[in-house]
Amino acid sequence: MVSALGIQLGVVGAYLVVALAVGLLAYRLTSRDAEDYYLAGRSIGTVVLLFTTFATLLSAFTFFGGPDLAYRAGPEWILVMGVMDGVLFAILWYVVGYKQWLVGRAHGYVTLGEMLGDRFGSTRLRAVVAGISLFWLFPYVMLQQMGAGEAIVGLTNGMVPYWAGAAGITVFMIAYVVIAGLRGVAWTDTLQGLFMLGVVWLAVGWVATAAGGPTALSNALATNNPEFLSLGGGVYSPQFIISSAVTIAFGVAMFPQINQRFFVAKSSAVLKRSFALWPVLVVLLFVPAFILGTWAAGLGISVPEGANVLPVLLNEYTPVWFAALVIAGAMAAMMSSSDSMLLSGSSYFTRDLYRPFVNPDASEAREAWLARIGVALFATLTFVASLFRPGTLVSVGDTAFGGFAQMALPVIVALYWARTTRTGMFAGVLGSQAFYLAHVFVPAIEVGSMTLFGATYLTWDYALWGMALSAVLTVGVSAMTAAAPEENQSRFTDGLRAD
Amino acid sequence: MTRVRIDYRWVAVFAILVTFAVPWFLWGDSRVFAGLPLWLWWHIGWMGLTAVVFHLFARTAWDRGIVGEGR
């Protein structure tokens, strides 16, 4: 008789190894799209683009952070993520994504920094954008490691410690990059995405059946947590819902691995096709994932310190192997999306920082080698940081999204308003980052009746105020300053052709 | 410079889609239908509607506000 722990570790380990092997195999057997992508070709096909972007939804933020929040505070998180990803992000997909695709195709850009640097005639702006992006990528990669650690604690009921789960996913992340080389393993993203979508629904069906059906579950909620059924209440104020949805949506659009994909589509057909699919995919994925967390609260599941609710719930209501399979699938999906984050991050590093400032004549081989070391180092540092557990999954993710979101409005202003100036961009980008960073790191101070550096001003999240500041600074300073001679003011507006 | 036409009807449509993805008028409502809160059913239905409208936009009005008229 194999112990539960043996089954759990066996399933998780085997799944991760198989996922890694399938990734490598799929890469060898399919076309060279991924390599073209790394080599800055503009040839990502329809399916690959759609699914790699979809795969970014499959992170620890979704699988573990979301259900945890729904367990502690109620299912309204479904609404936040729905508005955010299904509606707002879809609109940004058009407003930012399609526009960037057109501009990128006309001028051959591959990174956000490159695009802005060329438009404003400033290598420094390019470096600033790349640097800020890498800075906020750090907590988001860390979030994946935290999620893995907490999932393993929940699955094995604390038999395997947190650090071991976090270390495990770090090793796999680095292995992916070193063995596969720096190539987007988009196909594993796709396979794992579909696998997880299927498994989450199976989990919902299984738990619902085992616990007596959805009506029995909602009755249990009505008894144990009646406030979870009514819309709003607790942390869910209208301000919280709006602030979270807005900052995450704008943040996602500035995420390196998402933003970079705006440039690499072969045709606009894929942007068009996937635009309408966003709301559907989002409902299919988020409703079951977060409802599981909510049900766990009604069922009176108790979650051990430092664990995720999802594995605990599944252990209780489904067989050991199934719970382990879901967790393994989630971890593998997280691993491959972290891989694309690290891939894009490394291209920001080599193209926007290393080449322009350190070694413009570096060979391709040297660049690839450097990028690998960079990724390994980055993942190791985020692992170390993840051991300190600076917050909950949702709070760490929110902070990272908020940081990216500060760049979104200056970028949108630059994309659509030809009178934006370089000085305006620096003011908007740096000013809002300074404001945001101060609020993340400086403790709150009481000044008279006002709290400075607190979580909110007039009940609205500081991230939202930072975004407003970024827009006001970009527009205001641009209006007051003249364009520098090196700027290419018509770069984003003239000569754009549809397909 | 190429003039780009902004279609305010679509802007308004998008604004409505964003606004009512959260059923604000059901705030505090705890009615349950088929095991899920009523407000969640609204959200699911609204997202379906959003997908249909987005599809129409992509088919009929794509390029609006981005690519100029005289292309």
Side-chain angles (χ1 to χ4, degrees):
Chain A
M1 181 75 193
V2 189
S3 71
L5 185 67
I7 297 175
Q8 286 159 345
L9 294 182
V11 169
V12 170
Y15 190 95
L16 290 184
V17 170
V18 168
L20 188 64
V22 168
L24 297 182
L25 197 68
Y27 175 74
R28 290 194 168 276
L29 294 180
T30 45
S31 72
R32 311 299 282 176
D33 280 8
E35 187 160 17
D36 286 346
Y37 166 45
Y38 180 61
L39 297 176
R42 206 162 293 280
S43 60
I44 284 279
T46 305
V47 180
V48 176
L49 180 73
L50 174 60
F51 277 98
T52 47
T53 313
F54 175 62
T56 338
L57 299 179
L58 309 175
S59 74
F61 194 72
T62 308
F63 285 134
F64 299 131
D68 280 353
L69 187 58
Y71 167 76
R72 282 184 284 109
E76 286 90 335
W77 190 242
I78 296 173
L79 299 180
V80 175
M81 293 293 275
V83 183
M84 180 296 270
D85 240 320
V87 194
L88 276 177
F89 178 70
I91 294 171
L92 291 174
W93 180 258
Y94 179 72
V95 171
V96 178
Y98 181 51
K99 177 89 182 192
Q100 270 190 217
W101 181 79
L102 288 167
V103 171
R105 188 182 56 165
H107 305 288
Y109 307 129
V110 184
T111 65
L112 179 66
E114 191 179 357
M115 177 183 92
L116 294 171
D118 183 57
R119 154 69 177 82
F120 292 98
S122 166
T123 329
R124 210 175 285 168
L125 180 64
R126 178 176 180 172
V128 162
V129 169
I132 291 172
S133 304
L134 289 173
F135 182 83
W136 293 115
L137 200 58
F138 191 91
Y140 204 72
V141 173
M142 180 176 88
L143 172 73
Q144 313 306 318
Q145 292 154 324
M146 289 170 60
E150 295 180 5
I152 290 293
V153 170
L155 184 68
T156 64
N157 202 13
M159 305 257 264
V160 177
Y162 165 84
W163 66 264
I169 203 164
T170 310
V171 168
F172 269 96
M173 250 148 66
I174 296 175
Y176 239 69
V177 170
V178 172
I179 301 171
L182 280 176
R183 291 151 176 171
V185 193
W187 299 272
T188 42
D189 280 353
T190 311
L191 290 175
Q192 288 171 356
L194 291 174
F195 176 82
M196 279 313 293
L197 203 54
V199 164
V200 165
W201 278 99
L202 267 181
V204 163
W206 211 315
V207 171
T209 314
T215 310
L217 281 159
S218 67
N219 288 341
L221 264 182
T223 318
N224 295 337
N225 304 75
E227 70 282 4
F228 278 21
L229 290 174
S230 79
L231 176 57
V235 298
Y236 297 115
S237 61
Q239 289 89 332
F240 173 84
I241 291 176
I242 295 169
S243 303
S244 307
V246 169
T247 52
I248 299 176
F250 283 81
V252 169
M254 292 294 118
F255 245 122
Q257 81 277 19
I258 300 280
N259 191 277
Q260 195 158 34
R261 279 175 173 112
F262 292 154
F263 287 123
V264 296
K266 209 180 289 177
S267 74
S268 68
V270 53
L271 292 170
K272 240 179 187 171
R273 268 177 224 155
S274 33
F275 180 64
L277 284 176
W278 277 110
V280 178
L281 283 179
V282 158
V283 163
L284 284 178
L285 186 65
F286 293 159
V287 172
F290 303 161
I291 213 71
L292 282 172
T294 314
W295 284 350
L299 292 168
I301 296 277
S302 73
V303 178
E305 179 64 28
N308 296 131
V309 64
L310 202 57
V312 180
L313 173 74
L314 293 175
N315 266 340
E316 195 87 9
Y317 287 91
T318 69
V320 175
W321 64 268
F322 181 76
L325 192 66
V326 175
I327 300 315
M331 283 176 62
M334 282 154 49
M335 188 173 76
S336 72
S337 19
S338 312
D339 196 51
S340 7
M341 287 174 212
L342 292 168
L343 172 73
S344 289
S346 74
S347 83
Y348 276 35
F349 172 70
T350 52
R351 293 182 70 94
D352 296 342
L353 294 171
Y354 179 70
R355 267 189 192 280
F357 291 96
V358 183
N359 185 357
D361 310 312
S363 66
E364 291 279 345
R366 188 184 169 80
E367 190 178 300
W369 182 79
L370 195 82
R372 265 175 225 210
I373 295 183
V375 164
L377 192 71
F378 196 84
T380 310
L381 289 175
T382 53
F383 165 64
V384 172
S386 77
L387 296 178
F388 293 95
R389 318 277 295 274
T392 64
L393 297 176
V394 167
S395 67
V396 170
D398 245 355
T399 308
F401 285 123
F404 279 112
Q406 306 304 313
M407 280 200 301
L409 294 179
V411 169
I412 293 173
V413 169
L415 280 172
Y416 286 92
W417 192 44
R419 290 199 35 225
T420 316
T421 68
R422 184 199 292 170
T423 325
M425 283 305 281
F426 273 119
V429 170
L430 292 176
S432 60
Q433 287 294 331
F435 173 88
Y436 188 75
L437 282 170
H439 284 78
V440 173
F441 291 108
V442 178
I445 311 167
E446 298 284 341
V447 180
S449 62
M450 245 187 90
T451 309
L452 286 182
F453 305 111
T456 56
Y457 290 104
L458 306 171
T459 72
W460 294 90
D461 196 307
Y462 62 79
L464 218 52
W465 291 104
M467 286 176 70
L469 179 70
S470 74
V472 168
L473 283 176
T474 310
V475 174
V477 174
S478 291
M480 287 184 297
T481 52
E486 308 83 26
E487 290 190 34
N488 305 298
Q489 286 188 293
S490 59
R491 194 50 39 121
F492 294 166
T493 43
D494 281 7
L496 300 181
R497 289 173 295 107
D499 261 355
Chain B
M1 242 177 85
T2 339
R3 272 277 143 225
V4 172
R5 186 160 62 107
I6 294 178
D7 192 327
Y8 291 99
R9 281 168 309 177
W10 276 109
V11 174
V13 168
F14 283 1
I16 291 170
L17 287 178
V18 173
T19 309
F20 291 103
V22 177
W24 304 105
F25 54 89
L26 290 177
W27 198 259
D29 187 300
S30 54
R31 274 174 291 173
V32 173
F33 179 75
L36 293 179
L38 189 64
W39 54 262
L40 188 52
W41 287 114
W42 167 276
H43 179 70
I44 293 169
W46 191 261
M47 296 298 264
L49 175 73
T50 304
V52 172
V53 174
F54 280 177
H55 179 71
L56 286 177
F57 174 81
R59 269 189 43 196
T60 63
W62 192 263
D63 287 327
R64 212 57 69 80
I66 292 187
V67 178
E69 295 290 293
R71 60 172 187 265

